[in-house]
Amino acid sequence: MTTAAPLRRRWDWFNGLLRTYAVLLYIFLFTPILVVVIYSFNKGRFLVIWDGFGTNWYGVALENEGIQNALATSLRVAAANAVVAVVLGTMAGIALARRSGKWSRPFLVLVFLILVAPEIVDAISYLIFFVRINLGWSFARLVIGHSIFNSAVVTLIVLARLQGLDESLEEAAADLGASPWRAFRQITLPLMLPAVLAGALLAFTFSLDDVIISSFVSTSGGTTLPVYVFSALRTGMRGDLAAISTVTLAATLVALGVMVFALRRSGESVEGVVGTITGAG
């Protein structure tokens, strides 16, 4: 007993140190975002000099034609990219989980290569490819460039979900005379739907905040919001940029909240929701 007490105190000290580190890490990560949100309500002309509370920059941002066009382009590209990524990623995840074979390992290596390859390398490759095939439509360029990466993300999320589900339900449906399509529609799809929703949300948000690929593959008239903001920051920090960034952040959080609510309504536990979003199962 005399040995257990010092050991317990040592572990208590270590756990307290880990909690302190976690708090400091979260402060480090989220303080810059909080500063942007706060200063988006600065009514002064200069963003970095607080001159009182005001919402005037939100009106300026929403009336800015350049911001309007860039935001509309980003939303269209993100939505189309999410559809493409979900379709391709879901089919790939199902094939890997239910019809694996000798091709599975090389295919998974390819998926991970897409995820770990430097984004600047991807961007240059896409640019060369689009120039070679003479594809000048900015919307198509952006959707293809974004959906390749996001398809890999959706693939891993769907694969993780299906690997945690028993295939016996699908086999039972087949034994009862259900066609493969009916078994998929009535059993497999509802079971993997949380993973599909999570993949769609991640594909949408990853596309919405992409800068490097969008900078390389977009053409005149097809500028996305992150590229517009990045270019505008070269001339100085403006309140309308902070305002539209805050609006985008709020929209992303609302979308995340809706997805979490939908997953909870489907019977997912809190741990299940987190695991689905992160692709852990």
Side-chain angles (χ1 to χ4, degrees), residues 14-98:
F14 182 71
N15 290 335
L17 184 63
L18 287 178
R19 294 190 188 98
T20 303
Y21 173 77
V23 170
L24 292 176
L25 180 62
Y26 279 113
I27 292 175
F28 174 77
L29 291 175
F30 291 103
T31 297
I33 299 176
L34 182 62
V35 169
V36 172
V37 173
I38 291 174
Y39 274 86
S40 69
F41 295 99
N42 178 23
K43 69 177 182 181
R45 181 178 180 183
F46 301 101
L47 181 63
V48 293
I49 302 176
W50 183 261
D51 195 26
F53 180 86
T55 59
N56 53 300
W57 285 117
Y58 285 87
V60 173
L62 295 178
E63 293 174 1
N64 187 313
E65 187 176 352
I67 291 180
Q68 291 177 2
N69 294 334
L71 179 60
T73 299
S74 288
L75 292 176
R76 288 196 299 267
V77 169
N81 142 85
V83 172
V84 174
V86 164
V87 172
L88 297 179
T90 300
M91 291 192 297
I94 294 173
L96 286 168
R98 296 293 187 252

Side-chain angles (χ1 to χ4, degrees), residues 4-237:
L7 183 61
R8 189 181 303 110
R9 285 196 298 269
R10 191 179 307 156
W11 275 106
D12 290 341
W13 176 85
F14 182 71
N15 290 335
L17 184 63
L18 287 178
R19 294 190 188 98
T20 303
Y21 173 77
V23 170
L24 292 176
L25 180 62
Y26 279 113
I27 292 175
F28 174 77
L29 291 175
F30 291 103
T31 297
I33 299 176
L34 182 62
V35 169
V36 172
V37 173
I38 291 174
Y39 274 86
S40 69
F41 295 99
N42 178 23
K43 69 177 182 181
R45 181 178 180 183
F46 301 101
L47 181 63
V48 293
I49 302 176
W50 183 261
D51 195 26
F53 180 86
T55 59
N56 53 300
W57 285 117
Y58 285 87
V60 173
L62 295 178
E63 293 174 1
N64 187 313
E65 187 176 352
I67 291 180
Q68 291 177 2
N69 294 334
L71 179 60
T73 299
S74 288
L75 292 176
R76 288 196 299 267
V77 169
N81 142 85
V83 172
V84 174
V86 164
V87 172
L88 297 179
T90 300
M91 291 192 297
I94 294 173
L96 286 168
R98 296 293 187 252
R99 298 294 182 269
S100 60
K102 294 181 179 179
W103 62 273
S104 302
R105 189 177 298 275
F107 187 80
L108 272 176
V109 170
L110 178 62
V111 169
F112 281 109
L113 280 176
I114 294 174
L115 294 175
V116 302
E119 197 170 3
I120 185 67
V121 176
D122 293 336
I124 295 174
S125 302
Y126 299 153
L127 178 60
I128 296 173
F129 174 71
F130 294 144
V131 171
R132 284 292 183 90
I133 66 174
N134 197 27
L135 179 61
W137 187 19
S138 184
F139 178 80
R141 285 182 166 201
L142 289 166
V143 171
I144 294 172
H146 292 180
S147 61
I148 291 176
F149 175 86
N150 291 321
S151 295
V153 174
V154 177
T155 297
L156 294 181
I157 294 176
V158 172
L159 173 61
R161 176 71 176 180
L162 288 178
Q163 284 180 333
L165 298 175
D166 191 357
E167 198 175 354
S168 60
L169 292 175
E170 302 163 31
E171 294 173 350
D175 292 339
L176 293 173
S179 64
W181 167 244
R182 186 175 182 182
F184 171 79
R185 181 169 53 87
Q186 295 186 347
I187 296 177
T188 309
L189 183 59
L191 290 175
M192 71 177 188
L193 187 59
V196 176
L197 292 176
L201 176 67
L202 290 178
F204 184 87
T205 54
F206 286 163
S207 173
L208 200 61
D209 67 2
D210 181 84
V211 176
I212 298 178
I213 291 177
S214 300
S215 299
F216 275 78
V217 304
S218 61
T219 59
S220 178
T223 303
T224 60
L225 183 62
V227 175
Y228 176 89
V229 172
F230 181 74
S231 301
L233 284 174
R234 297 174 183 175
T235 61
M237 293 286 291

